[in-house]
C-alpha cells in the first residue's frame, strides 16, 4: 500500500490532492508540527532529513514534492494530468513543476522568516530586530515576491492553467506558492487571475476530499 507521511499544514497536502485526483488508494501516517513549527523527529526514521512530504511505495522512499509528483504520475497516471510529450504544454508543465519549489518558494520563505524573527527575539532586542527585518522586507523580499506574483498573473492571462488549457499536476504543484502568497504576500491585491486560479482549484472535488483526509490546513485559508 502506498503510504503518505503527512505533516499537518505542509506541502504534503498536495500529495494527498494528487492521489485523490488519480484515484489511487493510499494510507496516511500523520505527524504534527512541534511548537516551533518544525517537523517531529519521528519523520527522520522515514527519511534522514526528517521533512515532509515523503511517501513510501513498493520499497521506495521518495521525498521532495516535485520528485513525488513525477513518480506518481509515471507510476499511476496512465497519461493523466500531464501533457503529451514533445509539446509546448509539456515543456511548460516541466518548468512549473520545478519552478514552484526552485524559485517561487524562496521569497515566500524569507517573508515568513523576517516576519517571525521580531516576534521570537528577546524583548530588549526586539526593536532592533524588527527594524532590520523590516528593512530586509522592504528592500529585498517584498519586491521579489511582487515580481513573482506579477509573473503568475501574466502567465495565467495566457491560459486557464499553468501548463495550458488543461488542468495538470503542475497546477497542483503551484497551488502551495499561490496559497502561501494569498496568506502572507498580498496576492489578492491586483492579481485577479491568480485569485481565480485559487478559486478553481479549491472548488475541485478531489481537493475537498484531500482536505477531509489530511485534516486542518491553514496555508492560504
Amino acid at each position: 500500500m502506498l503510504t503518505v507521511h503527512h505533516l499537518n499544514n505542509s506541502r504534503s497536502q498536495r500529495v494527498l490532492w494528487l492521489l485523490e485526483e488519480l484515484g489511487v488508494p493510499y494510507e496516511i501516517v500523520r505527524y504534527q508540527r512541534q511548537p516551533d513549527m518544525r517537523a517531529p523527529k519521528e519523520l527522520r526514521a522515514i527519511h534522514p532529513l526528517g521533512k515532509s512530504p515523503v511517501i513510501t511505495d513498493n520499497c521506495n522512499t521518495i521525498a521532495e514534492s516535485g520528485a513525488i509528483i513525477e513518480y506518481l504520475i509515471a507510476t499511476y497516471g496512465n497519461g493523466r494530468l500531464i501533457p503529451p510529450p514533445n509539446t509546448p504544454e509539456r515543456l511548460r508543465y516541466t518548468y512549473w513543476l520545478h519552478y514552484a519549489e526552485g524559485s517561487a518558494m524562496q521569497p515566500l520563505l524569507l517573508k515568513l522568516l523576517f516576519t517571525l524573527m521580531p516576534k521570537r527575539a528577546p524583548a530588549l532586542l526586539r526593536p532592533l530586530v524588527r527594524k532590520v527585518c523590516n528593512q530586509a522586507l522592504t528592500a529585498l523580499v517584498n519586491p521579489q515576491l511582487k515580481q513573482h506574483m506579477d509573473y503568475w498573473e501574466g502567465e495565467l492571462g495566457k491560459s486557464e492553467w499553468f501548463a495550458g488549457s488543461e488542468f495538470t499536476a503542475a497546477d497542483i504543484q503551484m497551488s502551495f506558492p499561490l496559497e502561501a502568497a494569498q496568506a502572507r504576500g498580498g496576492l489578492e491585491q491586483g492579481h485577479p487571475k491568480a485569485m481565480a486560479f485559487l478559486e478553481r482549484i479549491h472548488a475541485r472535488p478531489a481537493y475537498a476530499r484531500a482536505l477531509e483526509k489530511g485534516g486542518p490546513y491553514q496555508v492560504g485559508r
Side-chain angles (χ1 to χ4, degrees):
M1 173 68 77
L2 189 155
T3 300
V4 180
H5 297 272
H6 176 59
L7 180 68
N8 66 304
N9 280 339
S10 78
R11 294 162 169 85
S12 61
Q13 187 64 38
R14 289 182 296 194
V15 177
L16 303 182
W17 176 20
L18 175 58
L19 290 168
E20 290 294 330
E21 292 280 358
L22 294 174
V24 177
Y26 62 94
E27 62 181 16
I28 302 175
V29 177
R30 302 178 188 277
Y31 303 83
Q32 290 294 314
R33 290 185 182 275
Q34 300 177 95
D36 60 6
M37 296 305 293
R38 290 186 296 180
K41 62 182 181 180
E42 287 80 7
L43 263 174
R44 292 183 185 173
I46 309 303
H47 189 277
L49 294 181
K51 294 183 178 181
S52 181
V54 179
I55 66 168
T56 51
D57 185 39
N58 294 326
C59 299
N60 297 311
T61 299
I62 307 162
E64 294 295 337
S65 301
I68 291 171
I69 288 176
E70 288 196 37
Y71 173 83
L72 293 176
I73 291 293
T75 306
Y76 299 105
N78 295 317
R80 293 173 294 166
L81 301 184
I82 184 171
N86 302 316
T87 62
E89 289 78 11
R90 182 63 165 265
L91 184 59
R92 290 180 67 184
Y93 169 91
T94 302
Y95 170 77
W96 292 111
L97 197 65
H98 294 280
Y99 161 89
E101 293 294 332
S103 296
M105 285 305 300
Q106 293 181 24
L108 286 161
L109 289 172
L110 287 173
K111 177 89 171 181
L112 178 62
L113 176 64
F114 286 125
T115 302
L116 289 178
M117 282 177 63
K119 300 175 182 177
R120 298 185 177 184
L124 290 176
L125 295 177
R126 200 165 295 156
L128 176 61
V129 173
R130 182 178 294 109
K131 180 179 180 181
V132 172
C133 288
N134 286 342
Q135 288 176 343
L137 286 168
T138 300
L140 176 66
V141 178
N142 290 340
Q144 284 190 21
L145 183 53
K146 184 179 186 304
Q147 185 177 24
H148 282 276
M149 293 190 296
D150 291 347
Y151 177 42
W152 307 337
E153 186 72 10
E155 292 300 303
L156 288 170
K158 299 175 183 178
S159 59
E160 184 176 9
W161 303 105
F162 276 101
S165 60
E166 300 293 329
F167 174 81
T168 70
D171 298 297
I172 294 176
Q173 180 75 326
M174 282 297 296
S175 66
F176 195 87
L178 268 73
E179 287 178 327
Q182 180 188 24
R184 55 179 177 264
L187 183 67
E188 70 282 359
Q189 299 172 10
H191 303 97
K193 292 181 175 61
M195 293 299 294
F197 169 87
L198 289 178
E199 290 181 7
R200 290 196 298 276
I201 65 172
H202 292 160
R204 295 185 70 86
Y207 186 97
R209 292 196 301 271
L211 281 181
E212 285 183 18
K213 295 183 179 180
Y217 176 62
Q218 298 300 321
V219 177
R221 290 298 199 171

